[in-house]
C-alpha cells in the first residue's frame, strides 16, 4: 500500500508543474534563509570555550582608591581592579580556581636568530591556566615560586613557537619580549574563544575571540616592559589611553576570572567577595561603596553587548519568514487539493477510506517537502558563502556542520507533512457524492 501511495504521489505531483515548482521554491527559500541565519546565531551564542566558559565568572566592583569631586556614579559593572586587589583575590585560599588577566600585544623575537612576530597575548596573575581551558602540550606552566621570584619565563602557542624556532625544540630557548629575555618553558595548543569574553574593554571592536600567542606572569612581565595594551582606568576613575605602558600605579587594569563548578561554589565565592570588599571599604582603601558582584561568561557578554543586536533580530525575522512560507505553502496545497476534489471523490466512491485519502495527500506533501529540502542545500551553502564574504570579524564563524545537511532534508520533509495536514484533513472529509455530482468542490 505504501508503494502505491508513493507511486500516486509522484504521478500527481508532476501533473501540475507550475504549482509544484512554486511550492518547492517557497519551502526551499524559507528553510535556507532560516538555517543560514540560525547557524550564525547559534555560533555566536554557543559556549566561547567548549566545556569551560560556562563555569567561568568575572569579578566586578568599584575598586577606585582615590576620590574626586568629578567622580561619576558607579552604575555600570566594572571588571578592572588594581594589581593589589587582583593578588588578594587570586592568591586567597577560597573556593574556585582563580586567574588575573590583561590583554597585551608584543613583539616576540627569538634570541640570536632574527625571527620575530607581533603577537597578542595575556599578562597573567596565577598559575592555573586550565581555568581558561588552556592545554599545555609540551613543557609546563610556571610555579608559584617562579611567579613570586619574578623568574623570566613564558609560554608560547604552538604556531608562534614553530615560527620562531622552525628547526629547534622551543622548550628551553630564549625569546625577547619587551625589554627582557624570557625562557620558554611550555607550549600550549591553539587557544581562541569562539566569541570574545576576556578583557572586553581592550577588545571592544572584536566579536570573534582573539587567538592568544603567549602567556606571561604579570609581575615578571611588568618588570621587563611587558605591559597591557592600554593602562585601563587611572587618575580618579578617568580612563586614559596610554598604550604599552608599565606605569600602572593607581590604575585599575586587570580582570579576575574564577572557575566555579556548582551553585554552592558560586554562593560561597560571592559571600567571600562581599566580605573582602567590605573590609577594603572599612579600611579606607576603597573610597566608594564597592558593590561587588560576579557575572557568568554569558551574562558578561550580554552586559557588554558583545553580540551585535542585529544577529538575534535577523534570526527572529528569518523564523518569521519561514512561518510565512509555511502559511503560503498551506494555502497553495489547499487550493491544489480543492481543484482535485472530484478525483478524490471518485476514489472514495470506489471504496477508498478516509484514512487512505489522507495518507495519499500526506505522501504528496511529504514528497514536495523533501524536494524542497534537497533544493535548499545549495541555497544554504550560498547563504553561508555570502555571510563569510562580509567584512566582519565573526563572519568566519558561519559554518554548516555535515550532519546539518541531513537535518535540513528531514526538516523540510517534516514541514511538508505538517503543512499538508490541514488540506489533507479537509479533502478526506468531503462528501463523495457531492463532489462527483458537481465535478468540483
Amino acid at each position: 500500500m505504501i508503494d502505491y501511495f508513493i507511486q500516486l504521489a509522484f504521478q500527481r505531483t508532476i501533473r501540475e508543474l507550475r504549482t509544484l515548482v512554486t511550492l518547492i521554491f517557497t519551502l526551499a527559500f524559507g528553510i535556507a534563509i532560516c538555517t543560514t541565519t540560525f547557524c550564525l546565531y547559534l555560533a555566536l551564542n554557543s559556549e566561547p570555550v567548549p566545556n569551560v566558559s560556562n563555569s567561568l565568572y568575572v569579578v566586578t566592583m568599584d575598586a577606585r582608591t582615590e576620590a574626586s569631586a568629578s567622580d561619576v556614579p558607579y552604575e555600570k559593572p566594572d571588571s578592572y581592579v588594581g594589581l593589589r586587589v587582583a593578588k588578594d583575590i587570586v592568591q586567597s585560599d577560597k573556593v574556585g580556581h582563580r586567574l588575573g588577566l590583561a590583554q597585551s600585544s608584543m613583539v616576540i623575537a627569538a634570541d640570536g636568530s632574527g625571527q620575530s612576530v607581533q603577537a597578542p597575548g595575556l599578562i597573567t596573575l596565577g598559575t592555573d591556566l586550565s581555568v581558561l581551558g588552556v592545554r599545555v602540550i609540551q613543557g609546563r606552566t610556571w610555579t608559584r615560586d617562579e611567579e613570586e621570584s619574578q623568574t623570566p619565563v613564558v609560554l608560547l602557542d604552538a604556531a608562534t613557537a614553530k615560527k620562531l624556532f622552525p628547526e629547534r625544540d622551543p622548550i628551553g630557548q630564549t625569546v625577547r619580549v619587551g625589554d627582557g629575555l624570557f625562557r620558554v618553558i611550555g607550549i600550549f595548543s591553539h587557544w581562541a574563544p569562539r566569541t570574545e569574553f576576556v578583557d572586553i574593554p581592550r577588545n571592544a571592536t572584536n566579536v570573534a575571540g582573539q587567538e592568544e600567542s603567549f602567556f606571561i606572569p604579570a609581575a615578571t612581565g611588568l618588570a621587563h616592559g611587558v605591559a597591557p595594551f592600554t593602562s585601563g582606568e587611572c587618575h580618579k576613575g578617568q580612563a586614559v589611553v596610554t598604550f604599552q605602558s608599565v606605569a600602572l600605579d593607581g590604575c585599575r587594569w586587570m580582570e579576575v576570572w574564577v572557575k566555579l563548578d556548582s551553585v554552592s561554589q558560586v554562593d560561597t565565592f560571592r559571600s567571600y567577595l562581599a566580605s573582602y570588599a567590605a573590609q577594603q571599604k572599612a579600611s579606607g582603601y576603597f573610597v566608594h561603596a564597592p558593590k561587588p558582584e560576579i557575572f557568568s561568561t554569558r551574562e558578561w557578554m550580554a552586559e557588554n553587548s558583545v553580540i551585535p543586536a542585529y544577529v538575534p533580530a535577523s534570526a527572529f525575522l528569518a523564523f518569521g519568514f519561514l512561518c510565512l512560507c509555511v502559511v503560503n505553502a498551506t494555502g497553495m496545497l489547499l487550493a491544489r487539493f480543492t481543484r482535485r476534489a472530484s478525483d478524490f471523490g471518485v476514489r472514495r466512491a470506489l471504496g477508498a477510506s478516509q484514512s487512505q485519502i489522507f495518507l495519499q495527500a500526506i505522501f504528496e506533501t511529504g514528497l514536495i517537502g523533501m524536494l524542497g529540502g534537497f533544493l535548499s542545500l545549495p541555497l544554504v551553502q550560498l547563504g553561508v558563502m555570502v555571510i563569510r564574504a562580509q567584512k566582519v570579524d565573526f563572519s568566519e564563524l558561519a559554518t554548516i556542520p555535515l550532519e546539518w545537511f541531513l537535518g535540513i532534508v528531514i526538516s523540510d520533509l517534516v514541514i511538508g507533512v505538517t503543512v499538508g495536514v490541514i488540506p489533507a484533513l479537509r479533502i478526506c472529509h468531503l462528501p463523495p457524492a457531492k463532489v462527483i455530482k458537481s465535478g468540483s468542490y
Side-chain angles (χ1 to χ4, degrees):
M1 183 63 71
I2 293 178
D3 293 341
Y4 176 66
F5 286 146
I6 294 176
Q7 183 180 357
L8 272 182
F10 273 103
Q11 290 176 353
R12 297 297 184 183
T13 299
I14 62 176
R15 280 188 180 182
E16 302 176 354
L17 286 180
R18 182 180 299 177
T19 304
L20 172 65
V21 171
T22 304
L23 279 167
I24 290 175
F25 270 90
T26 298
L27 293 177
F29 274 108
I31 198 71
I33 291 175
C34 190
T35 302
T36 303
T37 53
F38 264 88
C39 84
L40 180 61
Y41 175 79
L42 293 176
L44 291 178
N45 283 275
S46 59
E47 195 176 2
V49 181
N51 305 316
V52 173
S53 52
N54 280 349
S55 299
L56 294 181
Y57 294 79
V58 65
V59 172
T60 67
M61 66 176 71
D62 186 351
R64 286 177 285 187
T65 57
E66 294 183 30
S68 169
S70 61
D71 282 355
V72 296
Y74 181 80
E75 297 176 347
K76 180 179 173 59
D78 191 348
S79 60
Y80 280 170
V81 298
L83 186 59
R84 171 188 152 177
V85 174
K87 282 183 178 180
D88 289 345
I89 299 174
V90 170
Q91 295 177 0
S92 68
D93 58 355
K94 300 302 178 181
V95 67
H97 301 277
R98 298 158 302 282
L99 208 60
L101 301 168
Q103 184 67 58
S104 182
S105 180
M106 303 295 296
V107 174
I108 305 176
D111 188 40
S113 71
Q115 298 285 345
S116 65
V117 293
Q118 176 76 41
L122 291 174
I123 298 173
T124 309
L125 182 63
T127 62
D128 191 2
L129 298 182
S130 66
V131 169
L132 296 177
V134 176
R135 188 168 64 92
V136 178
I137 57 176
Q138 186 180 356
R140 60 178 178 83
T141 61
W142 54 83
T143 64
R144 176 66 67 84
D145 289 340
E146 288 173 326
E147 182 178 46
E148 292 179 350
S149 63
Q150 299 186 14
T151 303
V153 293
V154 67
L155 269 69
L156 301 178
D157 79 309
T160 302
K162 188 171 182 61
K163 289 178 184 178
L164 296 177
F165 308 102
E167 299 178 354
R168 288 182 287 170
D169 183 355
I171 299 298
Q173 302 295 334
T174 302
V175 295
R176 179 173 292 278
V177 188
D179 301 329
L181 295 175
F182 293 79
R183 180 166 54 90
V184 179
I185 61 170
I187 305 297
F188 61 93
S189 60
H190 172 83
W191 189 85
R194 184 184 298 271
T195 45
E196 194 62 70
F197 71 97
V198 172
D199 206 345
I200 292 174
R202 293 190 180 98
N203 294 293
T205 60
N206 296 344
V207 176
Q210 180 170 248
E211 179 180 359
E212 304 296 350
S213 298
F214 67 87
F215 287 90
I216 201 163
T220 308
L222 294 177
H224 293 85
V226 181
F229 190 64
T230 65
S231 299
E233 300 161 349
C234 307
H235 310 302
K236 301 181 178 62
Q238 300 301 314
V240 296
V241 182
T242 304
F243 295 98
Q244 306 292 10
S245 172
V246 295
L248 300 173
D249 291 341
C251 295
R252 302 180 306 283
W253 57 278
M254 178 169 278
E255 288 185 338
V256 175
W257 286 84
V258 56
K259 187 173 186 293
L260 303 170
D261 297 319
S262 66
V263 174
S264 62
Q265 286 190 349
V266 171
D267 292 339
T268 301
F269 186 81
R270 185 175 277 120
S271 298
Y272 154 72
L273 190 64
S275 175
Y276 170 79
Q279 291 174 4
Q280 299 303 311
K281 179 64 172 69
S283 68
Y285 187 67
F286 290 162
V287 295
H288 300 288
K291 301 179 182 178
E293 189 52 87
I294 57 175
F295 287 80
S296 68
T297 300
R298 294 181 186 275
E299 291 170 342
W300 190 236
M301 290 171 60
E303 178 71 25
N304 290 274
S305 303
V306 172
I307 299 174
Y310 63 80
V311 172
S314 298
F316 178 78
L317 290 175
F319 181 74
F321 180 74
L322 176 60
C323 292
L324 180 62
C325 290
V326 168
V327 171
N328 286 338
T330 302
M332 285 188 287
L333 284 171
L334 186 58
R336 184 171 183 266
F337 287 158
T338 299
R339 287 195 301 269
R340 292 170 48 206
S342 57
D343 293 342
F344 288 111
V346 170
R347 286 202 62 209
R348 286 290 310 281
L350 293 176
S353 65
Q354 287 185 343
S355 61
Q356 290 174 328
I357 297 297
F358 177 80
L359 287 176
Q360 178 190 341
I362 288 297
F363 268 87
E364 289 187 30
T365 59
L367 176 61
I368 292 171
M370 189 170 62
L371 293 175
F374 282 117
L375 178 61
S376 68
L377 297 181
L379 295 177
V380 170
Q381 284 287 70
L382 178 62
V384 170
M385 290 172 59
V386 170
I387 292 178
R388 293 173 70 90
Q390 304 303 307
K391 295 181 179 180
V392 290
D393 70 327
F394 58 86
S395 61
E396 294 296 322
L397 296 177
T399 56
I400 299 291
L402 290 177
E403 58 268 21
W404 276 39
F405 289 103
L406 177 61
I408 291 170
V409 176
I410 294 176
S411 297
D412 259 332
L413 175 60
V414 172
I415 290 174
V417 171
T418 302
V419 300
V421 169
I422 294 177
L425 284 173
R426 183 170 182 179
I427 203 66
C428 73
H429 283 91
L430 293 178
K434 181 178 179 179
V435 295
I436 292 174
K437 182 179 180 180
S438 65
S440 63
Y441 178 59

